[in-house]
Amino acid sequence: MSVTPEILSYPDKGHQQWSRLESVRALFCSKYGREPDIFVRVPGRVNLIGEHVDYCGYSVCPMAVEQNIVFAAAITPEGSPFLKLVNDQAKVYPDTTVPDRKFEIDLKRDGWAAYVLCGVKGIAEILVGKSLVNMEIAVSGTVPPGSGLSSSSALVCASLLTTAQLNNVKLTKFAMAEMSASCERFIGMEGGGMDQAIAFLATRGCAKHIQFNPVRTEDVKLPSNAVFVIGHSLVTKRKAETSEYNTRVAECRLASQIIAKESGIDWEQIKKVKDLQDALSCNLEELLNLVDKHLHAGVYTKQEVCQCLGIGENELNEISLSPSTRKIKEFVLKERVTHVTSIEGLGVLMTASHNSMAKDYDASDPACDRLVNSFMTAGALGARVTGAGWGGCVVALTTPDRLNQLMDHVRLDFYAGYEGDVGKVLFQSEPQSGACVIKA
Ligand code: ADP
Ligand code: NG1
Ligand code: MG
């Protein structure tokens, strides 16, 4: 297996990827009046088990899906604007020009270009004494946005890979996965790195067991009769523009720090639940007992958290919270950390995992719950919300002999009355390969 992302030849006419690449090429040529130098393709992903645990330091099991982000890109001469972006959904994602190499990324001001700038800035930061070439980029995406299939990270990773390639920067897939995970933080997401890891490290035909710090992966061969079906709840959630995601990250950190303090260890060093487990050298069952012992159910006020840790609000802001979570006044601790610790032990029980996401983590949505029920009534072996949740997609497990019946049931039940193309919101998915460069 190559350690740097694969470089593929341009596909022949008739290949399933050909017409997609041709349409991105046509967009690029019509906007910029020249041919692209390269194409880059990065997949979205579905996570099969382990939601909201990557940022706590625990492992996840995603696979790459067919939906992806494609960039066509070229270097432009000195004197051109630094970065020009066009998108094949120009109404939603308008053309953007970034005149110079200033990297103050502001999601509200920059919109979708902020995600692209994250990847560009990541490469700029490692180019010591050299500045980036000017670039023109055309973007095409088929990952449904705000739907838990990681369109945001596919975009950030595509940008990082494109910028690296045009600037002749050679990095391993692992380095790119870690760098992209830090880069998405430039827009304020405090994610754990799952999406960027699978984007670079996916292999066709396998899900991946991914561990963090540092990123490590193992192939998970899926049973030959396992079929994954993805359904969209028709509710979307933009994670970087809303507060729920980072609130969960903060709640897990505070819960871990309170338990650490009660256990007599240096709580300020504890940033994630996994740090706590490692410091205590305990198993997950023992950790759950400590959660029960030291945390109460329901809401903690910020003041109560300060009392538990024996510090004032300013110190709490500095040590435990981020700029985006400092304004939060109330936290739910016991339920959140229970979800994180119990999920690990439950393994592949997808439905139990969904119930924990819905109940303890409050990260489902009534539409997701209805879709899970629809899949289960249709005979799925398990079904759960995937990605961050609060809407987005549900992934269900079934077998080939039950697939048609299951799809028919959900189509007539959950999607009755849906006026769009049901094929775009209810589809089967097989594990795809990770990010690649395609020669123009
Ligand atoms: P998810 O990663 O679950 O899809 P996020 O809220 O993290 O959801 O990211 C969604 C955001 O990613 C969108 O609001 C948009 O800014 C950006 N995005 C996704 N797909 C595209 C695309 N094809 N072109 C431009 N921007 C996109
Ligand atoms: P989505 O829903 O695709 O934006 C987010 C995080 C993941 C992970 C999942 C929940 C980012 C970039 N993505 O994914 O790291 O925490 O939620 O398991 O932060
Ligand atoms: Mg995302």
Side-chain angles (χ1 to χ4, degrees), residues 123-143:
I123 297 297
E125 288 191 342
I126 58 162
L127 274 190
V128 191
K130 241 178 95 185
S131 65
L132 293 174
V133 295
N134 299 323
M135 298 181 283
E136 284 174 343
I137 298 175
V139 175
S140 164
T142 54
V143 188

Side-chain angles (χ1 to χ4, degrees), residues 45 115 150-153 184 189 195 239:
R45 61 101 187 96
Y115 291 85
S150 199
S151 66
S152 63
S153 304
E184 203 162 331
M189 275 297 278
D195 305 349
K239 266 74 69 175

Side-chain angles (χ1 to χ4, degrees), residues 87 93 112 115 141 144-148 150-152 155 237-239:
N87 197 298
Y93 307 120
W112 73 282
Y115 291 85
S147 306
S150 199
S151 66
S152 63
L155 194 55
K237 177 86 177 173
R238 291 171 192 260
K239 266 74 69 175

